[in-house]
Coordinates of all heavy atoms in Angstrom, one line a residue:
F609 N -4.8 -7.5 27.6 CA -5.3 -7.1 28.9 C -6.7 -7.2 29.0 O -7.5 -6.8 28.1 CB -4.8 -5.7 29.3 CG -3.4 -5.5 29.7 CD1 -2.6 -4.4 29.2 CD2 -2.9 -6.4 30.6 CE1 -1.3 -4.4 29.6 CE2 -1.5 -6.3 31.0 CZ -0.8 -5.2 30.5
L610 N -7.3 -7.8 30.1 CA -8.7 -7.7 30.5 C -9.6 -8.1 29.4 O -10.8 -7.5 29.3 CB -8.9 -6.2 30.9 CG -8.2 -5.7 32.0 CD1 -8.6 -4.1 32.2 CD2 -8.4 -6.4 33.3
Y611 N -9.2 -9.2 28.7 CA -10.3 -9.7 27.6 C -11.4 -10.4 28.4 O -11.1 -11.0 29.4 CB -9.5 -10.7 26.7 CG -10.5 -11.5 25.9 CD1 -11.0 -11.0 24.7 CD2 -11.0 -12.8 26.4 CE1 -11.9 -11.7 24.0 CE2 -11.9 -13.5 25.6 CZ -12.4 -13.0 24.4 OH -13.3 -13.6 23.7
P612 N -12.6 -10.2 28.0 CA -13.1 -9.4 26.8 C -13.5 -7.9 27.2 O -14.0 -7.1 26.4 CB -14.3 -10.1 26.2 CG -14.9 -10.6 27.6 CD -13.8 -11.0 28.5
I613 N -13.3 -7.5 28.5 CA -13.7 -6.3 29.0 C -13.1 -5.1 28.3 O -13.8 -4.2 27.8 CB -13.4 -6.1 30.5 CG1 -14.2 -7.1 31.3 CG2 -13.7 -4.8 31.0 CD1 -13.8 -7.2 32.8
S614 N -11.7 -5.3 28.0 CA -11.1 -4.3 27.3 C -11.6 -4.0 25.8 O -11.7 -2.9 25.3 CB -9.5 -4.4 27.2 OG -9.2 -5.6 26.5
N615 N -12.0 -5.1 25.2 CA -12.6 -5.1 23.8 C -13.9 -4.2 23.9 O -14.1 -3.4 23.0 CB -12.9 -6.4 23.4 CG -11.6 -7.2 23.1 OD1 -11.1 -7.8 24.1 ND2 -11.2 -7.4 21.9
Y616 N -14.8 -4.6 24.8 CA -16.0 -3.9 25.0 C -15.8 -2.4 25.3 O -16.6 -1.5 24.9 CB -17.0 -4.5 25.9 CG -17.4 -5.9 25.4 CD1 -17.1 -7.1 26.2 CD2 -18.0 -6.1 24.2 CE1 -17.5 -8.3 25.8 CE2 -18.3 -7.4 23.7 CZ -18.1 -8.5 24.5 OH -18.5 -9.7 24.0
I617 N -14.8 -2.1 26.1 CA -14.5 -0.7 26.4 C -14.1 0.0 25.2 O -14.5 1.2 24.9 CB -13.4 -0.7 27.5 CG1 -13.9 -1.1 28.8 CG2 -12.8 0.8 27.5 CD1 -12.7 -1.2 29.9
C618 N -13.2 -0.6 24.3 CA -12.8 0.1 23.1 C -13.9 0.2 22.2 O -14.1 1.3 21.5 CB -11.8 -0.9 22.4 SG -10.2 -0.9 23.3
L619 N -14.9 -0.7 22.0 CA -15.9 -0.7 21.1 C -16.9 0.4 21.6 O -17.4 1.2 20.7 CB -16.6 -2.0 21.0 CG -15.8 -3.1 20.3 CD1 -16.6 -4.4 20.4 CD2 -15.5 -2.9 18.8
F620 N -17.1 0.4 22.8 CA -18.1 1.5 23.4 C -17.5 2.8 23.1 O -18.2 3.9 22.8 CB -18.4 1.2 24.9 CG -19.2 2.2 25.5 CD1 -20.7 2.2 25.3 CD2 -18.7 3.2 26.3 CE1 -21.4 3.2 25.9 CE2 -19.5 4.1 26.9 CZ -20.8 4.1 26.8
F621 N -16.2 3.0 23.5 CA -15.5 4.3 23.3 C -15.6 4.8 21.9 O -15.8 5.9 21.7 CB -14.1 4.2 23.8 CG -13.3 5.4 23.8 CD1 -13.3 6.3 24.9 CD2 -12.5 5.7 22.7 CE1 -12.7 7.5 24.9 CE2 -11.8 6.9 22.6 CZ -11.8 7.8 23.8
L622 N -15.2 3.9 20.9 CA -15.3 4.3 19.5 C -16.6 4.6 19.1 O -16.8 5.5 18.2 CB -14.6 3.2 18.6 CG -13.1 3.0 19.0 CD1 -12.7 1.7 18.2 CD2 -12.3 4.1 18.4
A623 N -17.7 3.9 19.6 CA -19.0 4.2 19.2 C -19.3 5.7 19.7 O -20.0 6.5 19.1 CB -20.0 3.2 19.8
G624 N -18.8 5.9 20.9 CA -19.0 7.3 21.6 C -18.3 8.3 20.7 O -18.9 9.5 20.6
I625 N -17.2 8.0 20.2 CA -16.5 9.0 19.3 C -17.3 9.3 18.1 O -17.4 10.5 17.6 CB -15.1 8.4 18.9 CG1 -14.1 8.3 20.0 CG2 -14.5 9.2 17.7 CD1 -13.8 9.6 20.6
L626 N -18.0 8.3 17.5 CA -18.9 8.6 16.3 C -20.0 9.5 16.7 O -20.3 10.4 16.0 CB -19.4 7.2 15.8 CG -18.5 6.3 15.2 CD1 -19.1 4.9 14.7 CD2 -17.8 7.0 13.9
V627 N -20.6 9.4 17.8 CA -21.7 10.2 18.4 C -21.1 11.7 18.5 O -21.8 12.6 18.1 CB -22.2 9.8 19.7 CG1 -23.2 10.8 20.3 CG2 -22.9 8.4 19.5
V628 N -19.9 11.8 19.1 CA -19.3 13.1 19.3 C -19.0 13.7 17.9 O -19.4 14.9 17.8 CB -18.0 13.0 20.1 CG1 -17.2 14.4 20.0 CG2 -18.3 12.6 21.5
M629 N -18.6 13.0 17.0 CA -18.3 13.5 15.6 C -19.6 13.9 15.0 O -19.6 15.0 14.3 CB -17.7 12.4 14.7 CG -16.2 12.0 15.2 SD -15.7 10.5 14.4 CE -15.9 10.8 12.6
W630 N -20.7 13.3 15.2 CA -22.0 13.6 14.6 C -22.4 15.0 15.1 O -23.0 15.8 14.4 CB -23.0 12.5 14.9 CG -24.3 12.8 14.5 CD1 -25.4 13.5 15.2 CD2 -24.9 12.5 13.2 NE1 -26.5 13.6 14.4 CE2 -26.3 13.0 13.2 CE3 -24.5 11.9 12.0 CZ2 -27.1 12.9 12.1 CZ3 -25.3 11.8 10.9 CH2 -26.6 12.2 11.0
L631 N -22.1 15.2 16.4 CA -22.6 16.4 17.1 C -21.7 17.6 16.9 O -22.0 18.7 17.3 CB -22.8 16.1 18.6 CG -23.9 15.1 18.9 CD1 -23.9 14.8 20.4 CD2 -25.4 15.6 18.4
T632 N -20.5 17.4 16.5 CA -19.5 18.5 16.6 C -18.8 18.9 15.2 O -17.7 19.2 15.2 CB -18.3 18.1 17.6 OG1 -17.7 16.9 17.1 CG2 -18.9 18.1 19.0
G633 N -19.5 18.8 14.2 CA -19.0 19.3 12.9 C -18.4 18.4 12.0 O -17.9 18.6 10.9
L634 N -18.3 17.1 12.5 CA -17.7 16.0 11.6 C -18.8 15.0 11.2 O -18.7 13.9 11.0 CB -16.6 15.2 12.4 CG -15.4 16.0 12.7 CD1 -14.5 15.2 13.6 CD2 -14.7 16.5 11.4
K635 N -20.1 15.6 11.0 CA -21.2 14.8 10.7 C -21.0 14.0 9.3 O -21.4 12.9 9.2 CB -22.5 15.7 10.5 CG -23.7 15.0 10.4 CD -24.9 16.0 10.4 CE -26.3 15.3 10.3 NZ -27.4 16.2 10.4
M636 N -20.3 14.7 8.4 CA -20.1 14.2 7.1 C -19.4 12.8 7.2 O -19.5 11.8 6.5 CB -19.4 15.1 6.1 CG -19.2 14.4 4.7 SD -18.3 15.6 3.7 CE -19.7 16.8 3.4
S637 N -18.3 12.8 8.1 CA -17.5 11.6 8.3 C -18.3 10.4 8.7 O -18.1 9.3 8.3 CB -16.4 11.9 9.4 OG -15.6 13.0 8.9
V638 N -19.3 10.7 9.7 CA -20.1 9.6 10.1 C -21.1 9.2 9.0 O -21.3 7.9 8.8 CB -21.0 10.1 11.4 CG1 -21.8 8.9 11.9 CG2 -19.9 10.5 12.5
E639 N -21.6 10.1 8.3 CA -22.5 9.7 7.2 C -21.9 8.9 6.1 O -22.5 8.1 5.4 CB -23.1 11.0 6.6 CG -24.1 11.7 7.6 CD -24.5 13.1 7.0 OE1 -23.9 13.7 6.0 OE2 -25.6 13.5 7.4
L640 N -20.6 9.1 5.9 CA -19.8 8.4 4.8 C -19.6 7.0 5.2 O -19.3 6.2 4.2 CB -18.5 9.2 4.5 CG -18.6 10.4 3.7 CD1 -17.2 11.2 3.7 CD2 -19.0 10.2 2.2
I641 N -19.6 6.6 6.4 CA -19.2 5.2 6.9 C -20.2 4.2 6.3 O -19.7 3.3 5.5 CB -19.2 5.1 8.4 CG1 -18.0 5.9 8.9 CG2 -19.2 3.6 8.8 CD1 -17.9 5.8 10.4
P642 N -21.5 4.3 6.3 CA -22.3 3.3 5.6 C -22.3 3.3 4.1 O -22.3 2.3 3.5 CB -23.8 3.6 6.1 CG -23.7 5.0 6.6 CD -22.4 5.2 7.1
I643 N -22.0 4.5 3.5 CA -21.9 4.6 2.1 C -20.6 3.9 1.7 O -20.6 3.2 0.6 CB -21.8 6.1 1.7 CG1 -23.2 6.9 2.0 CG2 -21.5 6.3 0.2 CD1 -23.2 8.3 1.8
W644 N -19.6 4.2 2.4 CA -18.3 3.5 2.1 C -18.3 2.0 2.3 O -17.8 1.3 1.4 CB -17.2 4.1 3.0 CG -15.8 3.5 3.0 CD1 -15.1 3.0 4.0 CD2 -15.0 3.3 1.8 NE1 -13.9 2.5 3.6 CE2 -13.7 2.7 2.2 CE3 -15.2 3.7 0.4 CZ2 -12.7 2.4 1.4 CZ3 -14.1 3.3 -0.4 CH2 -12.9 2.7 0.0
L645 N -19.0 1.5 3.3 CA -19.1 0.1 3.5 C -20.0 -0.5 2.4 O -19.7 -1.7 2.0 CB -19.7 -0.2 4.9 CG -18.8 0.1 6.1 CD1 -19.5 -0.1 7.4 CD2 -17.5 -0.7 6.0
L646 N -21.0 0.1 2.0 CA -21.8 -0.4 0.8 C -21.0 -0.5 -0.5 O -21.2 -1.4 -1.2 CB -23.1 0.5 0.6 CG -24.2 0.3 1.7 CD1 -25.3 1.4 1.4 CD2 -24.8 -1.1 1.5
F647 N -20.1 0.5 -0.7 CA -19.3 0.5 -1.8 C -18.3 -0.6 -1.8 O -18.1 -1.3 -2.8 CB -18.5 1.9 -1.9 CG -17.5 1.9 -3.0 CD1 -17.8 2.1 -4.4 CD2 -16.1 1.7 -2.7 CE1 -16.9 2.1 -5.4 CE2 -15.2 1.7 -3.7 CZ -15.6 2.0 -5.1
L648 N -17.7 -0.9 -0.7 CA -16.8 -2.0 -0.4 C -17.5 -3.4 -0.7 O -17.0 -4.2 -1.3 CB -16.2 -1.9 1.0 CG -15.1 -0.9 1.2 CD1 -14.7 -0.9 2.7 CD2 -13.9 -1.1 0.3
Y649 N -18.8 -3.4 -0.1 CA -19.6 -4.6 -0.4 C -19.8 -4.9 -1.8 O -19.8 -6.0 -2.4 CB -20.8 -4.7 0.4 CG -21.6 -6.0 0.3 CD1 -21.2 -7.1 1.1 CD2 -22.5 -6.1 -0.6 CE1 -21.8 -8.3 1.0 CE2 -23.2 -7.4 -0.8 CZ -22.8 -8.4 0.1 OH -23.4 -9.7 0.0
G650 N -20.1 -3.8 -2.6 CA -20.3 -3.9 -4.0 C -19.1 -4.4 -4.8 O -19.2 -5.3 -5.6
C651 N -17.9 -3.9 -4.3 CA -16.7 -4.4 -5.0 C -16.4 -5.8 -4.6 O -16.0 -6.6 -5.5 CB -15.5 -3.5 -4.4 SG -15.6 -1.8 -5.0
Y652 N -16.7 -6.3 -3.3 CA -16.6 -7.6 -2.9 C -17.5 -8.5 -3.7 O -17.1 -9.7 -4.2 CB -16.9 -7.7 -1.4 CG -17.0 -9.1 -0.9 CD1 -15.9 -9.9 -0.6 CD2 -18.3 -9.7 -0.7 CE1 -16.0 -11.2 -0.1 CE2 -18.4 -10.9 -0.1 CZ -17.3 -11.7 0.1 OH -17.3 -13.1 0.5
Y653 N -18.7 -8.1 -4.0 CA -19.7 -9.0 -4.7 C -19.1 -9.2 -6.1 O -19.2 -10.3 -6.6 CB -21.1 -8.2 -4.7 CG -22.1 -8.9 -5.6 CD1 -22.8 -10.0 -5.1 CD2 -22.4 -8.3 -6.9 CE1 -23.7 -10.7 -6.0 CE2 -23.3 -9.0 -7.6 CZ -24.0 -10.2 -7.2 OH -24.9 -10.7 -8.0
L654 N -18.6 -8.1 -6.7 CA -18.1 -8.3 -8.1 C -17.0 -9.2 -8.1 O -16.8 -10.0 -9.0 CB -17.7 -6.9 -8.7 CG -18.9 -5.9 -8.9 CD1 -18.2 -4.5 -9.3 CD2 -19.7 -6.5 -10.0
V655 N -16.0 -9.1 -7.1 CA -14.9 -10.0 -7.0 C -15.4 -11.4 -6.9 O -14.8 -12.4 -7.6 CB -13.9 -9.6 -5.9 CG1 -12.9 -10.7 -5.6 CG2 -13.2 -8.3 -6.2

Side-chain angles (χ1 to χ4, degrees):
F609 281 135
L610 301 175
Y611 167 84
I613 296 174
S614 64
N615 296 76
Y616 294 123
I617 290 174
C618 292
L619 293 173
F620 178 79
F621 182 86
L622 292 170
I625 291 294
L626 291 177
V627 173
V628 169
M629 289 166 58
W630 177 270
L631 296 172
T632 56
L634 293 173
K635 189 175 181 179
M636 180 182 291
S637 297
V638 181
E639 292 174 338
L640 283 172
I641 289 178
I643 297 172
W644 173 233
L645 291 176
L646 283 172
F647 174 77
L648 286 175
Y649 186 79
C651 295
Y652 170 76
Y653 174 79
L654 292 175
V655 169

